[in-house]
Amino acid sequence: MRKTLPLITIFLLNLAFISFSSTTIPQKQKTTIKTTTDDEALKKKAEALAHRFVIVDGHVDLPYRLHGKMEDVSVQTVGGDFDYVRAKKGGLTAPFMSIYVPADLQKRKGFSKALADSLIDLVENLTKTYPDKFALAKSPADILQNFKKGLISLPMGMENGSPVESNLENLKHFYDRGVRYITLCHGEDNFICDTSYDTTRTWGGLSPIGRQVVREMNRLGIMLDCSHISDDTFEQVVALSKAPVIASHSSCRSFTPGFIRNAPDVLIQKMAKKGGVIMINFSSMFLDSASNKAYELKRNAIKAFQKSKNLPADAPEVQAFEKEYVAKYPTPLTTVERVADHIDHVVKIAGIDHVGLGSDFDGVGPTLPDGLKDCSEIPNLIYILLKRGYSEKAIEKICYKNLFRVWNQVDKVAERK
C-alpha cells in the first residue's frame, strides 16, 4: 500500500548506472532446460498447475483502490492489477482483500473503525453484486468449497490495527465481520506497537495494550501479521503468540540491506520455528536494492513536498506531484525471477514449509516486476519455479498449503482457549 513515512535528506542519483544485485540460487534448486520443447512443456505445465492448485495471495489492495474510484471488477479493468478476468486467467483463487486504514486516521477518534467497516461493506457488496464470480471466505474450508464451484474467494485481512481503537471488543467485531488477519500497524507507531517505518520507537516493540491484543487475537482465531512492524515488535509477537504468525506481504531484507520493512533472516527463522509463513511481496522495491534505493528517493521527495505544502498524504496535489516525479524518475524494475530468488532464499534458510505469496497488487502497481505486472501473470512465477527444479508438491505448498496450515493452527489454538 502507499506508505506515509518519515522525512529524510533528499538527493538525486543517476539511476541509469545502478546495477541490480544478484543472489545465489540454492544448488539443489538448479536445473537445466535443454530444448525449446522442454521449455514450452514447462510453460504449459505451469499454466495447468496454476489452475489445478488453489492460489492464495496474502495481500491485494483492491478495496482501497475501489474506495478511491469504483470500478466494475467483474470484467477486465483498464487500471489496477486485479479483476475477475485476470484473476481467472492467472489462477488466483483466494486474494486476501486488504482492509487498509492509513495511519493518519488513527489521530481522529472513530475514523479508523468507520473506514474499516466501509471497506468490509465494499467487499461484501462485491460478493452480493457478482455472486457467480466472487464469494466471501472465513476459513480454508470456505476457500476449498468456493474453488470447487469456480468462484474466487475474497477472504479479508486488516492492514493496520488502528480500527481496534484500544477496545478489545472491536477485535471480536472485526472477526465476526470476516477479518482473519490483522497487520498490527502501518506507517506510524500506534497504540499496539512500533512500526518499521517510524524511528520514534514509542514502545520498544509491543505496547502494554498491544500484548493484550496479541492474546485476544490468539483467543479469537485471528492471524497475527508481522508485515510493517519493527524488528523488536516482530520478535516479541513471535515469542508471545501461542499460534504461528504470518508476514502477509514482506520480502527478504538480505536483498535490500537497510530496508527495515523487509524481514531479516534471523526473524524469518524464528517465525519458521514456530510454524509461521512469510508471503513474498512482488514489488521491485521489496525485491532488489537498486529499485529500493530509487524508491527511497521518490518517497522522500514526496514527503518533502507534502510537508512543504502542509498537505495530507492523500491530497490531490500530493498525488499529482507523485505522478510527475514517477514520470521524470521512473523506478528501475526487476523481473519475475527475482521473486523466485526470494522464495529460494526462504527455502534455504527456513525450509519449504514457510514461504507463500503476498503480491501487494493494487498497492504497488508501478513497481511490479517484468513478468508479474498483474494477477494474470502468476503462471510465469510457477514456470520459473518449475525451471529451477521445484516439485509440484513444493509449489502447492507455496501456493496455498503453507498458509492453510498456519490458518488451521490458529483456529485450533483459538478452540483450546
Side-chain angles (χ1 to χ4, degrees):
M1 215 42 235
R2 299 152 191 78
K3 318 299 182 194
T4 302
L5 307 164
L7 175 65
I8 63 173
T9 303
I10 303 168
F11 60 97
L12 297 177
L13 295 175
N14 185 342
L15 300 180
F17 295 98
I18 302 177
S19 61
F20 288 97
S21 57
S22 61
T23 189
T24 302
I25 300 168
Q27 194 67 31
K28 64 181 180 180
Q29 304 290 358
K30 288 186 177 180
T31 188
T32 301
I33 308 303
K34 297 181 179 179
T35 68
T36 302
T37 302
D38 291 339
D39 199 53
E40 289 302 316
L42 277 188
K43 289 180 179 178
K44 289 180 180 179
K45 183 175 182 179
E47 286 280 352
L49 292 181
H51 293 87
R52 186 198 312 170
F53 296 153
V54 167
I55 298 180
V56 173
D57 186 331
H59 192 91
V60 174
D61 276 303
L62 179 69
Y64 200 74
R65 166 190 157 195
L66 297 185
H67 171 73
K69 181 181 178 181
M70 198 64 193
E71 299 176 81
D72 180 1
V73 293
S74 71
V75 298
Q76 185 162 337
T77 57
V78 175
D81 315 316
F82 172 88
D83 55 53
Y84 177 79
V85 175
R86 286 181 286 177
K88 292 297 278 188
K89 181 179 179 181
L92 180 54
T93 307
F96 266 87
M97 296 287 97
S98 172
I99 307 303
Y100 165 65
V101 178
D104 289 351
L105 291 185
Q106 62 199 36
K107 300 165 187 172
R108 304 161 68 186
K109 184 173 176 59
F111 279 73
S112 290
K113 184 175 182 295
L115 176 58
D117 277 324
S118 71
L119 294 178
I120 294 171
D121 290 343
L122 188 154
V123 175
E124 290 179 344
N125 287 337
L126 286 177
T127 66
K128 293 173 183 177
T129 305
Y130 311 110
D132 58 331
K133 294 179 173 64
F134 302 115
L136 295 175
K138 299 181 179 181
S139 68
D142 287 347
I143 293 174
L144 291 174
Q145 185 177 28
N146 292 336
F147 183 62
K148 291 177 182 177
K149 295 177 181 178
L151 300 172
I152 293 177
S153 293
L154 301 181
M156 289 181 283
M158 192 159 70
E159 187 179 25
N160 195 351
S162 64
V164 177
E165 297 188 335
S166 301
N167 183 353
L168 295 185
E169 292 181 5
N170 283 332
L171 287 170
K172 178 65 162 57
H173 166 78
F174 287 118
Y175 177 85
D176 289 343
R177 295 215 63 188
V179 170
R180 288 299 179 268
Y181 77 68
I182 295 178
T183 316
L184 298 180
C185 64
H186 195 256
E188 298 177 10
D189 296 351
N190 63 14
F191 73 93
I192 296 173
C193 64
D194 298 339
T195 176
S196 60
Y197 282 133
D198 193 337
T199 58
T200 305
R201 299 294 183 261
T202 303
W203 307 106
L206 286 165
S207 72
I209 295 177
R211 292 180 176 276
Q212 295 179 47
V213 167
V214 170
R215 296 187 184 97
E216 183 66 3
M217 287 173 65
N218 279 172
R219 189 187 73 80
L220 290 170
I222 303 174
M223 289 180 280
L224 287 146
D225 180 15
C226 293
S227 292
H228 283 287
I229 62 180
S230 70
D231 286 358
D232 287 339
T233 308
F234 197 137
E235 187 165 17
Q236 291 168 23
V237 168
V238 171
L240 182 60
S241 177
K242 301 299 182 183
V245 303
I246 65 169
S248 69
H249 58 304
S250 296
S251 297
C252 305
R253 195 182 301 170
S254 61
F255 292 82
T256 56
F259 185 47
I260 308 302
R261 172 65 178 78
N262 273 345
D265 288 0
V266 64
L267 291 181
I268 294 172
Q269 291 168 328
K270 286 186 177 183
M271 179 173 64
K273 285 180 180 178
K274 293 193 71 170
V277 173
I278 180 170
M279 308 180 80
I280 302 301
N281 192 306
F282 293 176
S283 171
S284 292
M285 69 180 183
F286 283 73
L287 298 171
D288 190 274
S289 60
S291 299
N292 183 265
K293 289 174 183 177
Y295 175 79
E296 288 286 320
L297 291 173
K298 182 192 80 168
R299 185 181 71 181
N300 296 331
I302 293 168
K303 284 295 295 180
F305 175 81
Q306 180 187 343
K307 184 177 180 180
S308 70
K309 302 293 184 179
N310 194 27
L311 294 169
D314 59 353
E317 297 92 333
V318 176
Q319 294 173 3
F321 177 86
E322 179 177 2
K323 185 176 181 180
E324 182 179 350
Y325 185 98
V326 169
K328 191 173 182 179
Y329 306 106
T331 299
L333 302 179
T334 187
T335 66
V336 61
E337 283 84 356
R338 200 49 147 189
V339 179
D341 291 344
H342 281 252
I343 292 172
D344 284 340
H345 185 73
V346 177
V347 171
K348 181 179 179 180
I349 67 168
I352 189 62
D353 295 321
H354 305 289
V355 64
L357 309 176
S359 68
D360 216 344
F361 284 141
D362 283 337
V364 293
T367 68
L368 289 166
D370 292 336
L372 266 178
K373 291 300 185 187
D374 61 41
C375 59
S376 72
E377 296 191 323
I378 291 173
N380 292 342
L381 176 58
I382 296 176
Y383 160 72
I384 297 299
L385 296 177
L386 287 170
K387 196 170 181 178
R388 293 187 180 187
Y390 282 80
S391 67
E392 291 186 21
K393 182 178 179 181
I395 292 171
E396 190 174 24
K397 287 184 175 184
I398 294 166
C399 286
Y400 78 101
K401 283 197 168 180
N402 289 341
L403 190 277
F404 271 22
R405 185 195 69 248
V406 172
W407 196 345
N408 285 324
Q409 185 61 29
V410 168
D411 284 344
K412 288 180 181 178
V413 168
E415 290 170 1
R416 290 198 297 267
K417 287 182 174 290

